[in-house]
Every structure is written in structure tokens, then in C-alpha cells.
């Protein structure tokens, strides 16, 4: 999944920053009550919203339009290997058992090939470590089981149909449908968890953002771009709830001494989403929808009630959420660069990437027949108003390794 969701660069009136123990204040109970949301760490929606990446292997599928994410994953491979070699203790395994299984899970796996590359790198590194320490090991040979997790309507058929033959020989695979904002695996069953470009996806759109009687109604935009204070506050609270739920669930699944590896993108402190190139694109999509409403293809009312269930936190806000969880020890927390950060992207590349990400959610809300028209209009708008990548602010890319206490 991609954290490429931001806002429009025009008429910016940024809300006052909210400051915490690491630079951004957490909202007070009164502020949360004001927007009708009171924090409950383990609160989960009864029916989590589920909008996976575009399935299949056609020209608009995620499988053919996820190279931006692949480049980021490739850029973190070496750090992932270093983290495993340094922090994973193979004594976690029962060396005297008839079965010697190391379990890995990729949370928010979507469809290949990125998830297979991630898993293979982890396994190759563990094999390297195991070979080096083999003289101290007694018991059954090391085997691997990999759990591929995503929402129930993720295209698991395409995922496993496109799985490389070499990986089928290297480990046993299992699909695990379910929201990673809750538990999806048995307690104490996992040795290494991994997730990349996923944590900006919320379990749901904050309910007051789509309530036309709420001051947090996101009427002017289709995303949280930090330009409307009440909207930002509602999204921030939902993110904190979901991040807490994610870490609590992983703490139950991962064995003591096991690792959780996280990578993704945040906003630099003090920078609104609206000033990034991804944000400009999302607001262009919103503009295209409004143009279509004027022609009767959709309605203004539908657009005003549509907001993406994504939130890009500021980096200090994100770190604070990690640090507040007491179940994990932070082994690594650093900022890394995305290899394509300083590379201008073509309009075709941008349009194809965002279509692969947003196709499902747009079709779900606006109905059939809107997606083709929408992204044709986006392509034309990008041609008319090309993005100035040099002027746009850039995301902060993070790489974090947590060890279960």
C-alpha cells in the first residue's frame, strides 16, 4: 500500500500546531469531545472498512503499478538484513523439538511482487545467520512459514497465482485475511512481523468527517490535508487509536524477543500534507470529481461525504505513538531516503499509480463508470498543470525495528 495522499497547495490556512512530549501536543479530552471522538485504545469498528489495492494483473492493477513502493522496499533491504542479524536471537526457537519452525508475517501484503521480495530477503538473512551459528544448534532443521495478511477482499488469488516457484520451495505459505488493526494470528506464534507503506491506512474514516452536521465535516477536500483544524484533529485521534490497536495486536502475536519491522512515510513537522506532490495530486482528483458533478456524472453531495481513510502523521507524532507502547523495545528508529524523492515522475506514472491505489474505494462510493472518466480527467489536468517537484515538500521516510519485551 502507498502513503501517497496529501492536499491542495492553494489558499493555505494552516491550523496551529498541536504539541506533545516530542514536539506535538496530544489533543485533550475536551478537544476530542468537541469533534465527537473520545479516544479508546482498543476501540475497533464492528465492520472495518476494507478497500484493497486494485486486483488482477491487468494494466490498471496494483501488481503492475507499484514500482514506487518497490523502490522504497529495495532501499530498505540492507537495513532490514542488518536489523535481523543484530537483533534476532535464534535461541527463540525450540531446537530440541521435532518441528523447528520460524514464522514470518507481512501485514498489508496486497498482491505481489513486493511482498515476495520482502519475505525472501528476510528468509535469506535468517539462513545466513543460522548457517553462521549452526555449530551451536541441535535439533530439527530450520523451516519457514510465511503468513500473508491483508483485508478479506484483497486479491489473494492473484497473490498466490503469481508467487515465484522459488519461494514456494523456500517456505510454506498461508493467506491470513483480516484487518491488521486487530489480532489475526494466535498468541505467541510469530517471530518476525513486517509492514511497509501500510500504517497510514485507517480502520475507518473518522465518523464526524462524513457527518454534514459536524464541524469536522471534510466538505472541501477528499482527504485530510491539514488545512481544516477540526478535520485534522478527528483524523489524528483515529490514527492514534488505530496505531495503538496495531501495536497491541502485534504484541500478543509476537513471541518475546521477536521483531516487528516497520517502514513508511510521515510528514516533516510543521509541514501540511497540502504542500507535497502527492497532496497536490489527491486534491486534483477532488477537483476532477467536482468537475464531473457539474456535468451530472456524480453529485456534489456525494463528494462532500467522501473522504479517504488515510492519514499521514507528522514524524514526531508518529514517533510518540511508537514510544507510548510499552510492549516493545525500540532497537532502531531512523529516517531514510526514498530513491525517487528527487526524481520527477511522469504524468502517466502518477495517474497509473493512484488509480491502482484508489480504484476500489472510488468505485465503492461513486459506483461503476466513474473511475475511467475520473482518471482520464486527472491525466489531462496534470498535463495542463504539471507538478513542480522542486517546489513541493517531501515526505520523511522512516525505518523502525521493535523487539518484543
Amino acid at each position: 500500500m502507498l502513503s501517497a495522499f496529501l492536499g491542495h497547495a492553494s489558499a493555505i490556512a494552516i491550523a496551529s500546531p498541536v504539541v506533545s512530549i516530542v514536539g506535538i501536543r496530544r489533543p485533550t479530552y475536551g478537544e476530542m469531545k468537541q469533534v465527537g471522538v473520545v479516544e479508546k485504545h482498543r476501540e475497533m469498528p464492528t465492520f472495518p472498512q476494507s478497500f484493497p489495492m486494485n486486483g488482477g494483473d491487468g494494466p490498471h492493477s496494483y501488481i503492475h503499478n507499484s514500482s514506487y513502493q518497490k523502490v522504497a522496499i529495495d532501499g530498505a533491504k540492507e537495513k532490514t538484513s542488518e536489523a535481523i542479524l543484530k537483533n534476532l536471537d535464534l535461541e527463540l526457537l525450540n531446537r530440541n523439538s521435532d518441528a523447528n519452525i520460524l514464522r514470518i508475517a507481512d501485514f498489508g501484503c496486497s498482491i505481489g511482487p513486493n511482498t515476495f521480495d520482502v519475505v525472501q530477503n528476510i528468509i535469506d538473512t535468517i539462513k545466513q545467520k543460522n548457517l553462521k551459528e549452526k555449530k551451536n544448534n541441535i535439533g530439527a532443521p530450520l523451516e519457514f512459514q510465511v503468513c500473508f495478511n491483508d483485508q478479506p477482499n484483497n486479491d489473494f488469488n492473484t497473490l498466490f497465482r503469481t508467487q515465484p516457484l522459488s519461494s514456494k520451495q523456500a517456505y510454506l505459505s498461508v493467506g491470513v485475511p483480516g484487518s491488521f488493526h486487530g489480532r489475526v494470528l494466535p498468541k505467541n506464534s510469530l517471530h518476525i512481523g513486517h509492514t511497509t507503506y501500510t500504517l497510514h491506512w485507517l480502520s475507518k474514516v473518522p465518523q464526524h468527517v462524513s457527518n454534514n452536521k459536524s464541524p469536522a465535516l471534510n466538505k472541501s477536500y477528499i482527504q485530510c490535508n491539514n488545512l481544516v483544524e477540526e478535520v485534522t484533529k478527528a483524523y489524528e485521534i483515529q490514527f492514534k487509536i488505530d496505531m495503538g490497536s496495531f501495536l497491541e495486536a502485534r504484541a500478543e502475536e509476537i513471541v518475546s524477543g521477536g521483531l516487528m519491522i516497520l517502514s513508511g512515510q510521515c510528514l516533516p513537522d510543521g509541514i501540511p500534507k497540502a504542500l507535497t506532490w502527492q497532496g497536490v495530486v489527491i486534491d486534483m482528483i477532488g477537483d476532477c470529481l467536482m468537475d464531473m458533478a457539474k456535468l451530472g456524472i456524480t453529485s456534489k453531495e456525494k463528494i462532500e461525504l467522501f473522504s479517504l481513510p488515510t492519514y499521514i502523521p507528522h514524524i514526531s507524532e508518529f514517533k510518540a505513538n511508537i514510544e507510548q507502547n510499552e510492549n516493545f523495545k525500540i532497537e532502531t528508529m531512523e529516517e531514510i531516503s526514498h530513491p525517487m524523492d528527487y526524481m520527477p515522475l511522469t504524468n502517466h506514472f502518477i495517474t497509473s499509480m493512484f488509480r491502482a491505489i484508489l480504484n476500489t474505494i472510488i468505485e465503492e462510493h461513486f459506483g461503476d463508470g466513474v473511475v475511467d472518466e475520473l482518471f482520464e480527467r486527472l491525466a489531462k489536468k496534470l498535463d495542463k498543470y504539471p507538478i513542480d517537484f522542486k517546489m513541493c515538500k517531501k515526505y520523511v521516510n522512516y525505518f523502525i525495528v521493535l523487539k518484543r519485551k
Side-chain angles (χ1 to χ4, degrees), residues 287-300 303 377 381:
D287 292 342
C288 291
L289 285 168
M290 290 303 294
D291 292 340
M292 292 166 68
K294 292 173 185 176
L295 297 174
I297 300 172
T298 186
S299 68
K300 182 180 177 183
I303 298 169
R377 286 177 174 272
K381 197 172 283 286

Side-chain angles (χ1 to χ4, degrees), residues 32-215:
M32 291 189 273
K33 191 173 180 182
Q34 180 183 354
V35 294
V37 183
V38 177
E39 176 187 351
K40 295 178 183 177
H41 266 293
R42 299 304 302 275
E43 179 181 321
M44 288 293 297
T46 305
F47 300 104
Q49 294 175 329
S50 177
F51 303 108
M53 305 297 96
N54 204 25
D57 57 2
H60 303 304
S61 65
Y62 184 78
I63 200 170
H64 291 308
N65 295 284
S66 53
S67 58
Y68 186 90
Q69 298 90 315
K70 177 175 171 52
V71 168
I73 289 167
D74 288 346
K77 271 186 178 179
E78 187 174 338
K79 288 189 176 295
T80 300
S81 295
E82 289 172 358
I84 292 170
L85 292 172
K86 179 182 177 182
N87 298 298
L88 182 67
D89 183 3
L90 290 179
E91 295 303 318
L92 291 172
L93 301 169
N94 186 355
R95 293 293 177 178
N96 296 311
S97 171
D98 290 337
N100 193 16
I101 302 171
L102 192 142
R103 292 185 180 87
I104 301 163
D106 190 27
F107 296 98
C109 65
S110 189
I111 52 177
N114 294 346
T115 187
F116 299 127
D117 291 344
V118 164
V119 166
Q120 193 61 55
N121 181 54
I122 291 173
I123 287 176
D124 289 345
T125 304
I126 295 171
K127 284 181 175 179
Q128 175 188 341
K129 183 178 178 69
N130 187 50
L131 187 63
K132 184 178 180 181
E133 301 175 4
K134 193 170 184 179
K135 60 182 180 181
N136 300 320
N137 294 337
I138 302 172
L142 184 59
E143 292 186 274
F144 297 94
Q145 183 180 55
V146 178
C147 303
F148 294 97
N149 160 257
D150 213 308
Q151 296 285 5
N153 55 343
N154 181 59
D155 188 358
F156 285 100
N157 286 336
T158 295
L159 173 69
F160 290 114
R161 182 169 52 81
T162 57
Q163 185 174 6
L165 179 60
S166 58
S167 71
K168 293 178 183 178
Q169 297 168 342
Y171 53 84
L172 300 172
S173 302
V174 58
V176 182
S179 169
F180 61 38
H181 293 110
R183 262 188 59 200
V184 292
L185 295 170
K187 289 184 177 181
N188 300 315
S189 64
L190 188 62
H191 299 95
I192 297 181
H194 176 276
T195 194
T196 185
Y197 279 65
T198 60
L199 294 177
H200 59 287
W201 285 96
L202 304 178
S203 63
K204 62 180 180 180
V205 176
Q207 72 177 91
H208 291 272
V209 167
S210 300
N211 182 346
N212 56 19
K213 294 182 180 179
S214 168

